[in-house]
Amino acid sequence: MYVIAVYDVGIDRLNKVRIFLKQYLNWVQNSVFEGELTKAEYIKVRSEVKELIDEDVDCVFFYHVRDKKYLGFDEMGTRKTNIDTII
Amino acid sequence: MYVIAVYDVGIDRLNKVRIFLKQYLNWVQNSVFEGELTKAEYIKVRSEVKELIDEDVDCVFFYHVRDKKYLGFDEMGTRKTNIDTII
């Protein structure tokens, strides 16, 4: 399955969430990771993120499609070149 | 088509982009809008956003599926209740 994770997480927990997500997905924009996951990985990722965030304050969405071919994509502007060096 | 727009836009242009997107899509998270658009609306939205951002600095992604039924979704944490009152 192809997964897009978008998050609005407090600064105190942000790096932990990013470091964790980076193990499974690609960081593509400031608050967005995406990539191919198995069903088992997806369950693990959600479970772990749930532990890392403060559910009363933070918010994480996971969008997913069965196959990347079902997902259209357009981008504009400039991707940060240093996005992988921030954490 | 069902569209998810995620953006990383400089503070000087942020409100203009949000006010514009809010005319066509629902604001669901700090940097995320989503909703149903016709193909014509989608072209118009991309064209207008391109005018509003600084393409050398900002970055906007549009993910889309032909029908919302192809898009899986899971969320955790808390959606901001006042997200629609920020702008």
Side-chain angles (χ1 to χ4, degrees), chain B residues 37-51:
Chain B
L37 295 180
T38 64
K39 181 78 180 168
E41 286 169 336
Y42 181 56
I43 290 167
K44 187 176 160 59
V45 164
R46 280 192 299 154
S47 163
E48 186 72 21
V49 168
K50 201 166 179 166
E51 294 298 313

Side-chain angles (χ1 to χ4, degrees), chain A residues 5-22:
Chain A
V6 296
Y7 49 89
D8 180 12
V9 171
I11 190 79
D12 294 345
R13 296 167 297 282
L14 195 55
N15 265 3
K16 279 189 183 171
V17 170
R18 284 175 172 168
I19 287 165
F20 171 72
L21 286 176
K22 211 177 154 181

Side-chain angles (χ1 to χ4, degrees), chain B residues 17 24 40 57 59 61 66-67:
Chain B
V17 170
Y24 289 90
V57 183
C59 184
F61 291 169
R66 194 162 60 82
D67 190 299

Side-chain angles (χ1 to χ4, degrees), chain A:
Chain A
M1 64 198 300
Y2 197 79
V3 176
I4 302 156
V6 296
Y7 49 89
D8 180 12
V9 171
I11 190 79
D12 294 345
R13 296 167 297 282
L14 195 55
N15 265 3
K16 279 189 183 171
V17 170
R18 284 175 172 168
I19 287 165
F20 171 72
L21 286 176
K22 211 177 154 181
Q23 294 175 61
Y24 290 89
L25 298 165
N26 306 305
W27 199 6
V28 290
Q29 198 187 92
N30 190 37
S31 301
V32 189
F33 281 80
E34 62 174 71
E36 190 67 37
L37 295 180
T38 64
K39 181 79 181 167
E41 285 170 336
Y42 181 57
I43 290 166
K44 187 176 159 60
V45 164
R46 280 192 298 154
S47 163
E48 185 71 22
V49 168
K50 200 166 180 165
E51 293 300 312
L52 293 173
I53 66 170
D54 179 341
E55 289 195 79
D56 294 333
V57 183
D58 303 329
C59 184
V60 183
F61 291 170
F62 295 94
Y63 300 97
H64 51 91
V65 287
R66 195 163 58 82
D67 190 298
K68 198 182 176 183
K69 70 183 177 192
Y70 297 118
L71 189 68
F73 178 67
D74 293 288
E75 68 179 288
M76 58 184 65
T78 307
R79 292 190 184 211
K80 301 285 182 292
T81 52
N82 62 344
I83 205 157
D84 276 324
T85 61
I86 297 174
I87 49 173

